[in-house]
Amino acid sequence: MATTRTAKPLVVRRRARGGRRSVALTVLTGLMLVYTLLPLAWLLINATKTQEGLLGSFGLWFADDFALFDNIATTLTYDGGIFTRWLLNTVLYVVVGAGGATLLATVAGYGLAKFDFPGKKAVFAVVIGAVAVPGTALAVPTFLMFSNLGLTDTPWAIIVPSLITPFGLYLMWTYAAEAVPGEVLESARVDGAGEFRTFFRISLPLLAPGIVTVLLFSVVTTWNNYFLPLIMLKDPAWYPLTLGLNSWNAQAATAGGEAIFHLVITGSLLTIIPLIVAFLLLQRYWQSGLAAGSVKE
């Protein structure tokens, strides 16, 4: 009975310590939340304004005229509906480029993590070096190479470079080394399973969180890609959303150009919606410890 009485205050004391709140951490989290959501709020508020309301009202509050749906309709139909073409181009670049990059990173990362071969350390050094090289440093050599091949001003000039993601390869390499226990693979091989069956039936489900992470990074990178299309594409029919919206924004600075800042803002709002939806749909796959308990110690 005495033991129970002395243990109870200890439990309460430990719970109190574990539930202690940090004022500094709360303030910092609040500031980061404001920093993250304020641009989105500004974008949403100003997408409801006409061109006149946008220039004549406070940026963080609504104007007298609510024109969100009119702006969306005008954005989708302006200049022959070119925005829809830019959206489809971006989806094409993301599906083929980011999807292909994720597939290649998954297969290559798994192979590098679970198989030994001559020159593996050299491959690791090359991958680490490629991660350290910024993409802008390779833009001009890539343009010259694609120009000699006659692939500039075509979708392949955007898709092919997007297939290479050194960071995604390194991420899948390190993740596969920990997420897929070697004992599980050996057990499958002893039971007569081939390498392809082992990969698709055993390894691939365990790699799901890493695959989703690489996929989201690749999707965001390709969706927001601006500099590569800027130097590769001349035909507006092949522009992605980033380059197309920038051309709309630049109209106001050209002789006789029409200022359509309200359409640029509305188009920017429509551009980020698919990314938000992708994060919301795929976040449930961000789970860790899927291999826990698969190997009996």
Side-chain angles (χ1 to χ4, degrees):
M1 200 67 184
T3 304
T4 305
R5 290 178 180 176
T6 56
K8 193 172 182 180
L10 290 176
V11 174
V12 175
R13 204 175 296 123
R14 287 175 182 173
R15 288 179 179 175
R17 290 177 181 176
R20 183 180 301 171
R21 296 182 179 179
S22 172
V23 177
L25 182 59
T26 303
V27 173
L28 180 61
T29 304
L31 291 176
M32 292 300 298
L33 182 64
V34 172
Y35 177 80
T36 303
L37 296 181
L38 189 61
L40 297 178
W42 182 92
L43 190 65
L44 179 60
I45 291 172
N46 287 277
T48 65
K49 303 176 183 179
T50 61
Q51 179 73 12
E52 294 75 15
L54 180 64
L55 300 177
S57 63
F58 179 59
L60 290 176
W61 196 245
F62 299 93
D64 295 333
D65 49 349
F66 186 84
L68 176 61
F69 301 108
D70 292 336
N71 288 343
I72 293 176
T74 306
T75 300
L76 296 177
T77 57
Y78 183 79
D79 196 14
I82 191 64
F83 181 87
T84 305
R85 176 62 185 266
W86 295 338
L87 176 61
L88 294 177
N89 292 341
T90 305
V91 171
L92 172 66
Y93 301 149
V94 167
V95 171
V96 182
T102 304
L103 176 63
L104 293 176
T106 301
V107 175
Y110 174 79
L112 290 168
K114 295 303 174 182
F115 296 94
D116 292 324
F117 53 90
K120 184 175 180 179
K121 292 184 178 179
V123 173
F124 179 78
V126 171
V127 172
I128 293 298
V131 171
V133 177
T136 53
L138 301 176
V140 174
T142 303
F143 171 78
L144 294 176
M145 180 177 64
F146 276 74
S147 179
N148 292 331
L149 294 174
L151 295 178
T152 55
D153 208 23
T154 66
W156 297 111
I158 310 301
I159 293 174
V160 174
S162 300
L163 294 174
I164 310 301
T165 168
F167 176 74
L169 173 57
Y170 175 73
L171 183 62
M172 287 305 305
W173 186 348
T174 56
Y175 187 83
E178 298 294 334
V180 183
E183 292 84 351
V184 174
L185 299 181
E186 290 298 330
S187 299
R189 291 163 184 159
V190 169
D191 291 340
E195 294 298 335
F196 284 99
R197 184 179 180 184
T198 301
F199 174 74
F200 286 104
R201 297 293 297 274
I202 297 176
S203 301
L204 202 60
L206 298 176
L207 294 174
I211 294 174
V212 171
T213 303
V214 174
L215 177 62
L216 286 176
F217 275 117
S218 301
V219 167
V220 172
T221 301
T222 306
W223 192 276
N224 294 329
N225 197 0
Y226 173 78
F227 188 67
L228 183 64
L230 179 64
I231 66 174
M232 288 290 188
L233 302 176
K234 294 181 179 179
D235 187 358
W238 290 116
Y239 280 1
L241 286 169
T242 51
L243 204 57
L245 291 176
N246 181 69
S247 66
W248 277 5
N249 189 55
Q251 282 187 189
T254 59
E258 180 185 8
I260 50 172
F261 297 125
H262 62 305
L263 299 187
V264 174
I265 293 176
T266 306
S268 300
L269 178 64
L270 296 177
T271 298
I272 67 173
I273 289 177
L275 293 180
I276 296 175
V277 172
F279 271 92
L280 293 178
L281 292 178
L282 296 177
Q283 66 175 351
R284 65 190 183 96
Y285 294 101
W286 280 359
Q287 301 171 359
S288 60
L290 292 180
S294 60
V295 180
K296 186 176 181 179
E297 298 292 343

